[in-house]
Amino acid sequence: VTATVRNNTLRYFLNNGVYVSAGAGAAATVIQGNSIDNLNDTGDCIEIAAASPQVVGNTLMNCSRALFINGAAAPVVNGNNVLTSNVNGVYLSTASPQPVVTGNQIYGNTSTNFFADAYATGAQNLIIDATGNWWGTTDLTAIGATITDLSDAYTATDRPTVNYSGPLVGPLGAAVPGNYLIGPLSATTTTLTAGATYEVIGVVFVGAGKSLTIPAGATLRFHGTPNRLVIDGALSIQGVSGNPVTLTTGRNPAARGQWSGVLFRNGST
């Protein structure tokens, strides 16, 4: 079953403005160009349950959750959707939804701009693609503070990492350039570039059987108090006299307590 909901205004609904359930959400299903505004911060503007429609260019306002995605859902959310003035912006929960959320405006929601929790066990190995969005600011620490994911509870097994690398400089703007690090490293061996600067925008995990090498002159700037390196595998920091590796806060002005250090867990080297 496929459907198209395009260029409409939806208001004053009870629970959902648009609800796409399992079996009704093939890629051909499109929710596009709508204004969905419940006016009272209740209900879900759009709920997607175990379905994978396209969500393109909508304005979602004044709902409890602008976009609630649950179950085995993998929708593509792009084309400058505007999610603002809700309690929560994007809200992921239950089973293991894995949407792609890029090229949108997600800002000014009162509780969270992006929430990912209560997944199936094993979610700590997942990374959600939320790259290339406008978050109302380019301050990486401020953006991270509006996102709830594994970085806020690094020992959890039911939360994925939300990768918000390359935030936009403004609505429909260019991405802020940089070398970003977040979440579990996928490669068996990762070697950073000597002398380069990296923006650490969440907890970085070096898993068992994997290694991270940080060569001389590299700088890692951590954006947010919860952010740290968690080592279950191998870490080699190769600073030399006169050319050290620097691990520091990404905040200016800098102050004590703005990131959480390096954690070696049992079995790490």
Side-chain angles (χ1 to χ4, degrees):
V1 177
T2 62
T4 300
V5 181
R6 182 177 283 134
N7 301 327
N8 303 291
T9 298
L10 288 77
R11 294 182 174 177
Y12 297 114
F13 43 85
L14 178 60
N15 294 318
N16 307 101
V18 175
Y19 177 74
V20 184
S21 64
T29 292
V30 178
I31 306 168
Q32 182 175 17
N34 301 286
S35 173
I36 306 178
D37 182 346
N38 212 24
L39 303 170
N40 60 2
D41 288 349
T42 62
D44 299 322
C45 288
I46 298 175
E47 180 178 352
I48 299 170
S52 300
Q54 300 176 63
V55 181
V56 182
N58 302 279
T59 298
L60 310 178
M61 298 178 63
N62 296 310
C63 292
S64 176
R65 296 174 289 205
L67 184 56
F68 178 31
I69 303 172
N70 58 81
V76 175
V77 182
N78 61 12
N80 195 37
N81 294 280
V82 180
L83 286 65
T84 190
S85 300
N86 304 281
V87 178
N88 299 280
V90 178
Y91 195 102
L92 312 181
S93 184
T94 310
S96 297
Q98 297 183 57
V100 175
V101 183
T102 63
N104 306 287
Q105 301 180 50
I106 309 171
Y107 68 95
N109 299 288
T110 57
S111 181
T112 62
N113 285 330
F114 208 115
F115 179 96
D117 193 7
Y119 273 49
T121 299
Q124 74 275 16
N125 300 310
L126 300 177
I127 297 179
I128 303 301
D129 184 354
T131 59
N133 295 293
W134 166 240
W135 302 93
T137 179
T138 57
D139 184 320
L140 296 172
T141 300
I143 296 170
T146 70
I147 296 172
T148 296
D149 69 347
L150 183 60
S151 290
D152 301 295
Y154 71 92
T155 61
T157 61
D158 62 349
R159 290 189 180 193
T161 295
V162 175
N163 179 9
Y164 62 95
S165 299
L168 304 184
V169 298
L172 300 175
V176 176
N179 300 310
Y180 296 92
L181 294 173
I182 186 171
L185 299 180
S186 59
T188 301
T189 300
T190 300
T191 301
L192 304 186
T193 301
T197 296
Y198 292 82
E199 313 300 338
V200 183
I201 58 172
V203 176
V204 174
F205 298 87
V206 181
K210 297 182 178 180
S211 68
L212 171 63
T213 299
I214 308 175
T219 297
L220 274 62
R221 306 196 311 170
F222 291 76
H223 296 270
T225 300
N227 297 350
R228 68 185 77 199
L229 299 180
V230 176
I231 313 301
D232 294 301
L235 173 66
S236 177
I237 302 179
Q238 299 177 338
V240 297
S241 179
N243 194 22
V245 170
T246 301
L247 280 64
T248 188
T249 177
R251 301 293 287 167
N252 186 15
R256 179 183 178 276
Q258 291 178 338
W259 67 291
S260 290
V262 180
L263 171 62
F264 291 91
R265 296 198 284 201
N266 186 38
S268 61
T269 59

